[in-house]
């Protein structure tokens, strides 16, 4: 058995792709299906095309998105510097739902309400402001 990808449905393909680009992912493959009226965009970290997230966009819309149902868990990405990653996301308008108070873990949400877990590579970084005293926003 071999891992292939994780699929998430998206309401606005451009907004979702922009979010995943902020995380550092890049488009590795695209399939436009005229008959099924959908587009699949695969995005993965640089040099890791074997670990993509598949963004599925229905051309005629999907009125159920973004829902806040928690039937989908989350995507998780390891980052070199969790504080720099969160600062970059926040500077680009992304809400940090669970700040990296512990220097190890944070959560954000995509425009389609997909929970994204960010984990510090290696051991936890020492606590650092403003993150150490920042409260949660919403849920993840």
């Amino acid at each position: 058995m071999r891992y292939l990808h994780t699929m998430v449905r998206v309401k606005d393909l451009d907004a979702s792709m922009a979010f995943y680009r902020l995380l550092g992912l890049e488009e590795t493959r695209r399939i436009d299906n005229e008959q099924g009226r959908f587009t699949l965009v695969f995005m993965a970290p640089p040099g890791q095309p074997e670990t993509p997230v598949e963004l599925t966009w229905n051309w005629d819309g999907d009125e159920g998105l973004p829902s806040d149902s928690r039937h989908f868990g989350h995507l998780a990405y390891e980052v070199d510097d969790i504080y720099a990653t969160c600062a970059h996301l926040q500077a680009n308008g992304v809400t940090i739902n669970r700040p990296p108070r512990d220097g190890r873990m944070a959560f954000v949400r995509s425009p389609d309400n997909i929970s994204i877990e960010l984990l510090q590579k290696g051991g936890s970084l020492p606590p650092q402001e403003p993150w150490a005293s920042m409260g949660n926003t919403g849920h993840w």
Side-chain angles (χ1 to χ4, degrees):
M1 187 180 304
R2 180 173 66 97
Y3 171 81
L4 295 178
H5 63 265
T6 298
M7 182 276 266
V8 296
R9 285 182 173 76
V10 301
K11 186 172 184 115
D12 180 331
L13 184 59
D14 292 333
S16 294
M17 289 181 68
F19 172 80
Y20 289 98
R21 278 191 210 103
L22 286 173
L23 290 176
L25 278 62
E26 56 191 24
E27 182 176 337
T28 58
R29 186 165 49 121
R30 180 184 291 246
I31 299 167
D32 291 313
N33 186 305
E34 295 278 340
Q35 183 176 352
R37 301 191 50 73
F38 63 86
T39 297
L40 307 178
V41 175
F42 294 82
M43 298 185 75
Q48 299 176 58
E50 71 283 2
T51 62
V53 59
E54 172 192 322
L55 307 180
T56 298
W57 177 62
N58 293 308
W59 299 356
D60 299 319
D62 187 336
E63 294 309 311
L65 294 174
S67 74
D68 198 20
S69 64
R70 307 238 336 170
H71 64 279
F72 178 85
H74 62 267
L75 301 175
Y77 292 99
E78 182 179 73
V79 298
D80 289 330
D81 183 332
I82 197 159
Y83 297 135
T85 300
C86 287
H88 171 69
L89 293 171
Q90 190 174 54
N92 283 277
V94 175
T95 299
I96 309 299
N97 298 104
R98 195 279 193 193
R101 290 182 294 274
D102 55 6
R104 183 184 69 81
M105 178 181 67
F107 275 88
V108 298
R109 282 188 179 256
S110 77
D112 299 289
N113 231 6
I114 302 299
S115 268
I116 311 294
E117 180 182 23
L118 304 172
L119 293 168
Q120 174 62 42
K121 183 177 183 178
S124 299
L125 298 179
Q128 179 178 316
E129 292 298 340
W131 313 108
S133 59
M134 188 180 291
N136 295 339
T137 301
H139 60 276
W140 57 92

